Amino acid sequence: MRRQIAGGAAPKVSVVSKQVTVRGITILNLAMLERNQRVEVLELNSNQIDYAGAQSLATALPSTLTLLDLDGNQVGDSGASTLAAAWPAALKRVHLNINQIGDYGAKAIGSNLPSTLTVLFLQANLIGDDGAQAIGSGLPRTLVELHLDKNRFGDAGAMAIAANLPSTLTTLGISGNRIGNDGAQALAARLPMAAIVTMYFYGNKVGDAGAQALASTLPRSMVTLYLHDNQISDYWKQAVRDMWAGRNERLLV
């Protein structure tokens, strides 16, 4: 691992599916610090990085880092909190899918999101309403993609996200949660003020009232909407389809 970046400038470091543990992170840290490496992309997804590894990594995150990918590890709440506190100001993309992050970690993330962030992945974690509210409150105005699919939040979390939806956002992923009509209605009210092109909203608890609100506010900018596997009657499924008619784009309801 040291040889991978010790010979000069190294804008990208990628160590994927290598079962990297704390010792590996320590070696990586030394390599990045050894010659003041200007690392911009750090990919360490699908390893065995837990809290101790995250804590070690946080001490050496380069100030030049723009992308951090730790998908498929085990950093948990404590690791997420430690990393969030150490994020460099230049960071634009964060990938923390499948990391056992709950509300405590999500609160730390929401409180420390860099103002330059454009993409945030937190799919398949354990984030409930408290965590989603914190993330919603901290969304930077530069955000383009937000992926919170397969977590545990409901209407309260969705309403907080809706209240602070950046006008720059083009992709919103909130499928596989517990969002009902109140959350759907809050999001529907904000859709005309956002630039959302793609929305993943399937596998929630949205009923007819939520579908009605969404159908009446679908922006012309939206070209992909996944709304299936909710609790919408056939009547309102058809109503959404009718609203969508003429777009010739992708709709699942």
Side-chain angles (χ1 to χ4, degrees):
M1 192 181 303
R2 180 188 297 270
R3 289 193 298 272
Q4 189 172 355
I5 62 173
K12 178 177 180 178
V13 176
S14 182
V15 186
V16 178
S17 300
K18 298 295 184 182
Q19 298 185 337
V20 173
T21 58
V22 177
R23 182 177 181 276
I25 291 295
T26 301
I27 296 171
L28 177 65
N29 287 351
L30 290 172
M32 286 194 295
L33 293 171
E34 191 174 52
R35 296 188 181 181
N36 193 26
Q37 297 291 339
R38 295 182 60 83
V39 176
E40 296 176 7
V41 176
L42 183 55
E43 297 175 338
L44 296 171
N45 50 301
S46 303
N47 285 291
Q48 297 180 2
I49 301 170
D50 57 8
Y51 163 64
Q55 186 177 38
S56 178
L57 183 63
T59 65
L61 289 177
S63 61
T64 52
L65 195 68
T66 61
L67 187 155
L68 176 62
D69 186 350
L70 288 169
D71 285 351
N73 283 286
Q74 306 158 22
V75 304
D77 282 336
S78 296
S81 299
T82 302
L83 287 166
W87 281 339
L91 199 59
K92 294 182 179 180
R93 298 178 63 102
V94 172
H95 296 242
L96 283 169
N97 296 330
I98 320 173
N99 262 289
Q100 303 173 16
I101 298 170
D103 286 342
Y104 178 80
K107 288 179 180 179
I109 290 170
S111 297
N112 291 281
L113 290 173
S115 60
T116 54
L117 197 70
T118 59
V119 177
L120 177 61
F121 278 91
L122 283 167
Q123 296 172 326
N125 280 293
L126 308 170
I127 300 170
D129 280 322
D130 287 349
Q133 286 175 311
I135 290 170
S137 297
L139 293 177
R141 299 297 93 187
T142 52
L143 200 65
V144 176
E145 296 183 24
L146 176 61
H147 302 270
L148 292 170
D149 311 84
K150 298 181 181 178
N151 278 285
R152 299 179 175 181
F153 63 89
D155 288 331
M159 291 168 72
I161 293 167
N164 296 285
L165 211 61
S167 60
T168 53
L169 198 71
T170 63
T171 301
L172 176 61
I174 49 176
S175 61
N177 283 288
R178 302 170 182 176
I179 303 167
N181 287 330
D182 289 346
Q185 289 169 332
L187 283 163
R190 290 286 297 174
L191 285 179
M193 291 167 270
I196 293 179
V197 175
T198 301
M199 184 161 69
Y200 302 92
F201 206 164
Y202 63 88
N204 280 285
K205 298 182 178 181
V206 179
D208 289 352
Q212 181 180 8
L214 289 167
S216 63
T217 59
L218 288 175
R220 296 302 303 177
S221 62
M222 189 176 292
V223 298
T224 304
L225 173 62
Y226 296 94
L227 195 57
H228 55 290
D229 294 334
N230 275 287
Q231 299 173 4
I232 304 170
S233 69
D234 290 342
Y235 176 87
W236 278 106
K237 286 180 182 179
Q238 188 57 50
V240 174
R241 294 187 188 104
D242 291 342
M243 291 287 185
W244 196 262
R247 299 186 187 221
N248 295 319
E249 301 294 351
R250 187 147 182 85
L251 170 67
L252 285 176
V253 63

